[in-house]
Amino acid sequence: MQEGLKTLYDYTLDELKQIISPSFRAKQIYNWIYKKYAQDFEQMSNLPKDMIKSLKESYTLDLANIKASETSVDGSIKYLFEFADGHSVESVFLLMKDKQYDEDGNIIKGEKYTFCISTQVGCKVGCSFCLTAKGGFVRNLSAAEIVYQVLMLKKLNNIEENKAVNIVYMGMGEPLDNFDNLIKAIKIISELDGLAISTKRQTISTSGISSKIEKLGKEDLGVQLAISLHAVDDELRTELIPMNKAYNIKSIIDAVKNFPVDTRKKVMFEYLVIKDKNDDLASAKKLVKLLSGIKAKVNLIYFNPYPNSPYQRPSKDNMVKFQEYLISKGLLCTIRESKGLDISAACGQLKEKGE
Ligand code: SAH
Ligand code: SF4
């Protein structure tokens, strides 16, 4: 990466139109970068030579190196991206469904892709179960660094430009703690002349900064919301997520009730299941009560142990009983498949190895 050069990934199309003249060229550049995955300005064959020259003098299309990657038996791939300042974050390419063929060998159901994207180097929230928290907070990612992860995951896996993909902001960091850069990145990523990933396909996962959930609601972007609830009483939740002291369960539920949710969609509540902590039916009962009156679905997550982790993985039996109880009460409930379990699945593990 050459020093002194700026990145173009920080600009919305409207902003790019302000700095590129004539402005219709901005759309062409956006197309080259985000649809044709251009590596180099020289590839942009419909731009005038002198424009290519001046772009090269001021900008670079490089933003990060791939420091490590691991491929899982299920096809998921985890990447460690390293930025110019030496800091790195993880992004995961998740393969959701295998191709299915009809009798003539035509594809009838394509693969589905979900990208798990990071928003910060480290995290301030300091959850007791999370490996990312261990290193403390380092810095926010820029909008460009968030956009770049999405672009690279598409490019590295040869995803056609118009193929629908889903994004979950569930990598390293607390997305709502990097609010402005996140919002900008979402706008760039959803730009029709660029990556064109609809905001409906982008899910923000938050540990529950209630004030920022309200603020996000006011932006009315059409994004999906996922709440890392993990506990049904404030005492345990504060042990798991210290920030619960400032933003308790009630404040989160109130914020969610005010959040604009698409009529056909639900708010996802993530519930990290930890052995002997929150895996009992009494907790399941409280959870049902807590979520009554909300268009909610629940995603149960197995606690994923790492060396010296303070908690244990719950039994499958308890997990299934918990799920069955919620379903019997009319709640939509899934158990998160352990995608890529063999590739240092818990957030932060590849980073630990890579460094
Ligand atoms: N900061 C945001 C998004 C990133 S964390 C949030 O907390 O929601 C993404 C997810 O990883 C969260 O749902 C979190 O509970 C989960 N996670 C963190 N450590 C984990 C572990 N050891 N095992 C399983 N899931 C874990
Ligand atoms: Fe931060 Fe989320 Fe990890 Fe908590 S679980 S420390 S909020 S990344």
Side-chain angles (χ1 to χ4, degrees):
M1 216 174 307
Q2 266 175 279
E3 265 181 60
L5 295 179
K6 289 181 284 183
T7 176
L8 283 175
Y9 305 118
D10 252 327
Y11 297 100
T12 62
L13 181 56
D14 283 340
E15 286 170 347
L16 197 60
K17 284 178 179 168
Q18 307 292 318
I19 58 165
I20 301 285
S21 162
S23 65
F24 75 92
R25 297 286 182 197
K27 197 169 151 177
Q28 291 177 322
I29 295 171
Y30 236 68
N31 254 273
W32 278 111
I33 295 178
Y34 295 116
K35 292 201 187 289
K36 297 184 189 133
Y37 310 141
Q39 310 265 10
D40 199 311
F41 291 110
E42 294 288 352
Q43 275 173 274
M44 303 185 178
S45 52
N46 56 357
L47 298 187
K49 286 269 177 298
D50 55 340
M51 183 174 273
I52 291 178
K53 188 165 170 273
S54 73
L55 283 170
K56 272 167 66 178
E57 280 163 9
S58 305
Y59 299 99
T60 170
L61 294 173
D62 257 346
L63 196 62
N65 299 316
I66 298 166
K67 200 176 172 191
S69 70
E70 283 186 299
T71 304
S72 154
V73 286
D74 66 20
S76 302
I77 309 173
K78 190 171 210 171
Y79 299 92
L80 186 64
F81 287 103
E82 183 185 44
F83 300 110
D85 65 358
H87 290 302
S88 53
V89 295
E90 293 177 7
S91 323
V92 193
F93 171 84
L94 294 156
L95 204 54
M96 305 311 274
K97 222 168 253 163
D98 284 335
K99 282 182 193 148
Q100 287 178 25
Y101 299 89
D102 66 11
E103 287 160 5
D104 300 325
N106 301 314
I107 297 175
I108 43 172
K109 249 190 191 165
E111 289 154 325
K112 286 189 181 160
Y113 309 111
T114 296
F115 300 171
C116 181
I117 300 298
S118 292
T119 54
Q120 297 180 314
V121 181
C123 183
K124 284 180 198 161
V125 181
C127 300
S128 59
F129 53 82
C130 174
L131 204 51
T132 299
K134 297 282 172 281
F137 174 72
V138 180
R139 69 169 175 87
N140 280 328
L141 294 190
S142 64
E145 289 167 335
I146 297 171
V147 171
Y148 191 73
Q149 295 170 62
V150 177
L151 174 62
M152 288 310 284
L153 259 51
K154 266 191 109 172
K155 184 167 164 172
L156 289 164
N157 293 285
N158 303 313
I159 313 287
E160 311 103 83
E161 60 176 65
N162 294 321
K163 169 85 187 165
V165 301
N166 298 306
I167 295 178
V168 290
Y169 296 100
M170 270 184 205
M172 310 177 103
E174 166 51 50
L176 296 186
D177 194 28
N178 185 12
F179 197 89
D180 294 342
N181 292 346
L182 173 73
I183 299 302
K184 187 163 196 197
I186 289 173
K187 286 180 180 161
I188 296 170
I189 291 165
S190 58
E191 171 58 54
L192 283 177
D193 288 308
L195 288 163
I197 302 172
S198 155
T199 55
K200 286 198 180 84
R201 291 186 173 276
Q202 301 188 46
T203 301
I204 298 175
S205 174
T206 176
S207 53
I209 312 177
S210 313
S211 59
K212 299 277 179 70
I213 296 172
E214 303 263 3
K215 193 172 164 194
L216 179 67
K218 293 203 179 92
E219 296 272 339
D220 212 7
L221 294 169
V223 290
Q224 311 302 322
L225 185 63
I227 303 287
S228 289
L229 191 66
H230 306 336
V232 288
D233 58 73
D234 282 313
E235 196 187 304
L236 176 63
R237 194 163 192 278
T238 303
E239 178 193 319
L240 300 175
I241 310 173
M243 191 183 63
N244 191 68
K245 273 198 207 102
Y247 299 106
N248 65 13
I249 296 177
K250 184 176 182 306
S251 77
I252 295 170
I253 298 289
D254 288 347
V256 170
K257 283 183 175 159
N258 290 326
F259 191 84
V261 185
D262 193 288
T263 42
R264 284 159 304 163
K265 302 277 183 176
K266 295 178 190 304
V267 173
M268 159 93 77
F269 285 83
E270 292 165 280
Y271 190 88
L272 181 73
V273 188
I274 304 173
K275 187 178 179 210
D276 297 335
K277 279 279 178 188
N278 62 0
D279 60 347
D280 55 315
L281 281 184
S283 298
K285 269 182 199 161
K286 279 194 193 165
L287 185 57
V288 171
K289 239 176 124 182
L290 208 56
L291 299 183
S292 75
I294 299 180
K295 287 198 342 179
K297 57 183 173 184
V298 176
N299 193 17
L300 301 177
I301 308 165
Y302 280 98
F303 170 72
N304 208 334
Y306 46 89
N308 303 319
S309 61
Y311 306 114
Q312 285 166 344
R313 191 180 157 92
S315 68
K316 187 173 179 192
D317 193 41
N318 277 3
M319 200 75 167
V320 171
K321 279 188 186 140
F322 201 107
Q323 181 192 30
E324 281 172 352
Y325 181 81
L326 297 190
I327 291 174
S328 77
K329 296 294 167 187
L331 260 175
L332 218 73
C333 176
T334 48
I335 295 179
R336 188 184 288 174
E337 279 182 73
S338 306
K339 283 274 165 203
L341 243 192
D342 56 326
I343 53 163
S344 331
C347 159
Q349 289 187 357
L350 181 59
K351 188 176 160 93
E352 280 231 320
K353 270 195 213 168
E355 285 176 355

